[in-house]
Amino acid sequence: MFDEGGWNKEDGGEALSQALLRPRHRPAQHCTLAPRGSLQKQRRRLLATLQRLEASSCTDPPQSPGPLSGDSESESDSVGRAGRKQPRKQRQGLKPRAASSPGVAPGAPSGSGAPHPGPEAGPAGRRRRKDSAAEAPGDSAPAPSKEQPSRELGAAAGRPVPLLTRKQWRNKQKNKRRQKNKFKAGAGQDVGQGTSALPASELSGVLRARMEERLQSARFRYINEQLYTSSSQEAAQLFQRDPAAFAIYHRGFARQVGRWPENPVHRIIQYLRGRPASLVVADFGCGDCKIATSVRNKVHSFDLVALSPRVTVCDMAKVPLADESVDVTVFCLALMGTNLQEILEEANRVLRPGGTLKVAEVASRFGDIRAFVSAVTQLGFQIVSKDLGNPFFYMFDFSKTGQPRAGGSLPGLALRPCLYKKR
Ligand code: SAH
C-alpha cells in the first residue's frame, strides 16, 4: 500500500493522508449493515473508534507538539517501519497511527496524547513507559539534528511528517556508523587508508608495519617464483647469497598452507605412523622437519637452508645418502626445480627396490596427470595409488621397480609453477 517513497520528506504528507483516507470509507460501509450479536457490537465500537481516530488525525496539526515521550512502542514501530516497508497494520486496512496522534492506542480517546492505559499496561505498557523515560529532555537533546529540518519542512508544508523516537534515531545512527565502517574496512586494505582515526604517533607505526608486511609478501612471491622457475642448483645459490630470504620464504609458505583446510604433510605423517617404525625415510625439501619431529622412524631431512638442527643442508638433486639405503622417499610440496627428472632419479638411487616414493603436490600445478604418472614410471617406478580428492593438493604413491630407463627428456614431468597472487 505504501511505497517507500511515500515516506520521503517530499511526498510523505500526501502518501500518509492517502493511507489515512483509504480505510476510512470501508468502516462507513460496514456501519450501514444491521449489527447482530455481541461480535457485531464490538465491531461497531471498533469502527466508531477508528472514525474518531481518523477524524483526530485529520484535524490535529501535522506535527503534534505532543512529546515523543508519548510515543508508544507500537507506534514508533509503525512509523519506523514505514520508512523501510509497508507496516502490517496498514496492509490489513487499519489506519496507521501517525506521529500526529502520538500515544493513541486503539480504543483510547483520540488526541489524548497519553500512553494507553488499561489492557496495554502489561509488558507492552511498561515498555512504553521505559521508552517515555528514555525520551527525557536530557536524553532526547542530542536527537537528530538532521531530522529537525525535515520535520520543519514537513510542518511548513502542512504535512504530517513522522518524528523519530529515540530508539529509531539510535538505530539510524547505528546503521550510518555501520555503513561508514564498511567503507573504511574496504578502503583500509590499502596502506594509509582506514587509519585516519589513529593518532599520528600510532599511525606511523601501523603504516610501517603494513609496509613491511607488503614488502615481505612481495619477497615471498619473488623467492617462490625463483624456486619454481630455476634449477635446484640456482635455487641453492639464491639462498647461499641471501640466507634471510629463506626465513621469509618459509613464513610465507606456512601462511599459504595454513589457509588450506588440511596440510598434506599431516597425511604423510599419518601414513608413516601406520607403517613399521623401522622404515628409513628421506624427506626431500623438509622445511621445518615436521615429519622428522612427528614419527619414530629414522628420517633424513634435506633442505637448502637449515630451519632446524635436524636438517642436512644440500641440493636435493644430490643428497649425501648411499644407494638403496632408504625405504620411503617423501616430496611434500617440494618438487620445485626445473630439473625434476634429475631430482626424481636421485630419489630412485637412494630407494631400495620396492621402496615407496610419496609425492604431495599443489593440485593446480598438474596439467596432465596421466602424463605426469607416465613420466615418473619412466624413472623406474610404478604407480600404487593416487588421491585427487583434495581440491588443494594431490597425492601419489609409487613403488620403485628398478633403475630409471635411459632416454631423453620427459615433458610430462614439467609441472606448472605454483605462483601466488598479490593480495
Ligand atoms: N616439505 C615441507 C616444506 C615444503 S616447502 C612441508 O611440507 O612442510 C618446499 C621446501 O623445499 C622448501 O623448504 C625449499 O627450501 C625446499 N627445496 C626447494 N628446492 C630444493 C632443493 N633443490 N634442495 C633442497 N630443498 C629444496
Side-chain angles (χ1 to χ4, degrees), residues 32-79:
T32 57
L33 296 172
R36 250 185 279 139
S38 63
L39 199 67
Q40 283 175 330
K41 249 189 231 165
Q42 272 178 8
R43 194 197 286 170
R44 229 186 4 205
R45 233 179 287 137
L46 187 64
L47 291 175
T49 306
L50 280 172
Q51 280 172 335
R52 272 206 306 280
L53 285 172
E54 285 163 7
S56 84
S57 67
C58 289
T59 51
D60 277 354
Q63 274 310 307
S64 166
L68 285 172
S69 59
D71 274 359
S72 72
E73 196 163 70
S74 56
E75 177 186 288
S76 46
D77 277 349
S78 73
V79 173

Side-chain angles (χ1 to χ4, degrees), residues 3 21 61 77 98 119 122 137 191 196 214 240 264-265 293 301 307 312 316 339 361 365 370 372 413 422:
D3 284 335
L21 283 171
D77 277 349
V191 174
S196 52
R214 292 195 146 207
Q240 273 164 17
V265 82
T293 53
S301 304
L307 276 182
T312 302
M316 61 185 167
N339 52 328
E361 215 22 271
R365 295 194 66 198
R370 197 184 285 197
F372 174 76
L413 279 186
K422 184 172 180 247

Side-chain angles (χ1 to χ4, degrees), residues 234-246:
E234 287 164 337
Q237 283 165 12
L238 171 81
F239 287 134
Q240 273 164 17
R241 278 198 309 270
D242 183 7
F246 194 76

Side-chain angles (χ1 to χ4, degrees), residues 85-346:
K85 63 176 187 183
Q86 190 176 331
R88 195 187 309 150
K89 280 180 186 144
Q90 290 162 17
R91 271 186 262 128
Q92 287 166 350
L94 290 175
K95 178 190 85 64
R97 273 168 285 122
S100 53
S101 54
V104 180
S110 68
S112 70
H116 181 57
E120 289 200 24
R126 276 199 294 281
R127 252 184 281 135
R128 196 177 306 131
R129 273 196 295 281
K130 202 171 135 210
D131 265 11
S132 308
E135 292 299 336
D139 252 0
S140 57
S145 55
K146 274 186 189 156
E147 288 308 316
Q148 210 56 47
S150 80
R151 275 188 229 152
E152 284 162 11
L153 259 177
R159 302 178 199 136
V161 178
L163 285 169
L164 295 179
T165 64
R166 182 172 176 267
K167 195 172 159 193
Q168 289 168 332
W169 179 74
R170 225 171 24 209
N171 282 341
K172 202 172 163 185
Q173 298 302 317
K174 214 193 280 174
N175 283 340
K176 265 194 215 161
R177 266 201 308 276
R178 255 189 223 143
Q179 281 299 104
K180 224 156 114 189
N181 288 344
K182 218 194 289 174
F183 170 74
K184 271 190 190 170
Q189 286 171 2
D190 261 328
V191 174
Q193 291 195 19
T195 49
S196 52
L198 292 173
S201 55
E202 274 179 48
L203 184 69
S204 68
V206 169
L207 291 182
R208 194 178 311 126
R210 278 193 198 170
M211 287 300 285
E212 265 165 25
E213 199 185 310
R214 292 195 146 207
L215 218 59
Q216 301 262 319
S217 298
R219 286 195 77 188
F220 163 70
R221 288 194 302 275
Y222 172 75
I223 299 162
N224 181 64
E225 189 171 339
Q226 297 302 304
L227 289 175
Y228 280 113
T229 56
S230 50
S231 70
S232 62
Q233 292 84 0
E234 287 164 337
Q237 283 165 12
L238 171 81
F239 287 134
Q240 273 164 17
R241 278 198 309 270
D242 183 7
F246 194 76
I248 292 167
Y249 171 76
H250 262 277
R251 266 203 302 275
F253 169 80
R255 208 169 37 226
Q256 293 292 336
V257 176
R259 291 192 182 117
W260 295 0
E262 189 187 4
N263 185 337
V265 82
H266 295 139
R267 289 256 199 109
I268 292 166
I269 290 167
Q270 280 308 110
Y271 163 85
L272 289 172
R273 283 180 179 164
R275 304 287 315 278
S278 56
L279 295 180
V280 178
V281 180
D283 186 3
F284 286 67
C286 61
D288 57 3
C289 298
K290 280 201 179 68
I291 294 177
T293 53
S294 309
V295 299
R296 287 182 294 132
N297 307 59
K298 163 83 188 145
V299 180
H300 298 282
S301 304
F302 302 118
D303 210 304
L304 292 170
V305 177
L307 276 182
S308 127
R310 292 173 188 262
V311 177
T312 302
V313 174
C314 66
D315 172 2
M316 61 185 167
K318 223 175 179 43
V319 296
L321 286 179
D323 293 355
E324 303 185 354
S325 57
V326 303
D327 300 290
V328 183
T329 51
V330 175
F331 290 85
C332 184
L333 308 176
L335 284 179
M336 299 189 93
T338 50
N339 52 328
L340 289 188
Q341 183 169 344
E342 204 184 334
I343 289 167
L344 289 171
E345 280 172 356
E346 181 69 347

